[in-house]
Amino acid sequence: MDDPHDRSDRFELIAAADGDELERLADSVLAEDPHLRVLQEPRPQLVMQRVREPVERRPFNLGEVVATPAEVSLEGARGFAMVPGKAERAAFAGAVVDAAVAADHAVTDEAVEALSQAAEAHDRERRREWAESRHTTVEFETMEDDP
C-alpha cells in the first residue's frame, strides 16, 4: 500500500487518510467548478469483513462492519472511495481525490504527497500497535492424523 498512482493502493490510502485532509484536497479540486457527477451518493452501509485465519491461512468472514462508499465522475474520470464508519463527507472527498489523481488534475502532486504521508503515518501506527501487542503472541500447533 505505497503507491498513490496505483489505483488499488490509492483506495487503501484514501481509506486510511485523514478525512479533513481529504476534504481540503477535494475543496481545492471543486474550487475550479469542474464538471462533476455523483454516481453513488455516500451512504453508510454494512459490508462483510474477510480475514485470513493464522493457522491454515484460509479466509473467513469475520462479520459485518459499517463503511461509507461514494463514487463520482470528475471531468470524465471516475473516482471511488470507501472509508470505514459513518463518514459521508470523507467518502465523497475521497472519491473526488481519486478522480482528480486519475485525471492528472493540477492537485495530483499535492494529493499524492498527502496520501504518501498518510501511508507512512498508518505504517508507523501499525508498527507501534504491533510492538505493544507482540508480547501477547500465542503460537498454536495443529495436531494432524498420522498416515
Side-chain angles (χ1 to χ4, degrees):
M1 162 170 113
D2 318 83
D3 183 7
H5 293 287
D6 178 88
R7 194 154 193 232
S8 292
D9 285 355
R10 193 164 60 240
F11 288 154
E12 292 185 43
L13 295 170
I14 287 171
D18 177 62
D20 291 339
E21 181 66 10
L22 291 174
E23 288 181 35
R24 186 187 64 75
L25 291 166
D27 286 346
S28 294
V29 173
L30 298 176
E32 297 175 9
D33 197 25
H35 179 69
L36 176 75
R37 284 188 327 136
V38 177
L39 304 175
Q40 181 180 1
E41 293 280 340
R43 287 198 180 102
Q45 57 186 256
L46 292 173
V47 294
M48 185 58 67
Q49 175 150 12
R50 297 192 87 193
V51 296
R52 186 170 302 277
E53 58 88 9
V55 177
E56 294 185 18
R57 316 293 296 162
R58 288 187 296 181
F60 75 97
N61 295 330
L62 180 63
E64 291 182 317
V65 297
V66 176
T68 307
E71 185 172 11
V72 301
S73 174
L74 179 78
E75 301 291 344
R78 293 184 95 146
F80 178 81
M82 181 178 286
V83 298
K86 294 180 179 180
E88 293 91 336
R89 293 177 59 93
F92 176 75
V96 169
V97 169
D98 179 47
V101 173
D104 199 24
H105 185 273
V107 76
T108 296
D109 289 342
E110 187 179 355
V112 165
E113 178 63 25
L115 293 175
S116 295
Q117 289 177 1
E120 291 171 12
H122 184 71
D123 190 46
R124 279 193 306 273
E125 180 63 19
R126 290 182 77 180
R127 280 188 266 135
R128 185 192 62 76
E129 288 177 353
W130 174 248
E132 285 181 3
S133 64
R134 187 180 180 125
H135 68 282
T136 64
T137 301
V138 176
E139 291 189 26
F140 293 95
E141 293 182 18
T142 58
M143 298 176 64
E144 298 180 24
D145 296 333
D146 290 330

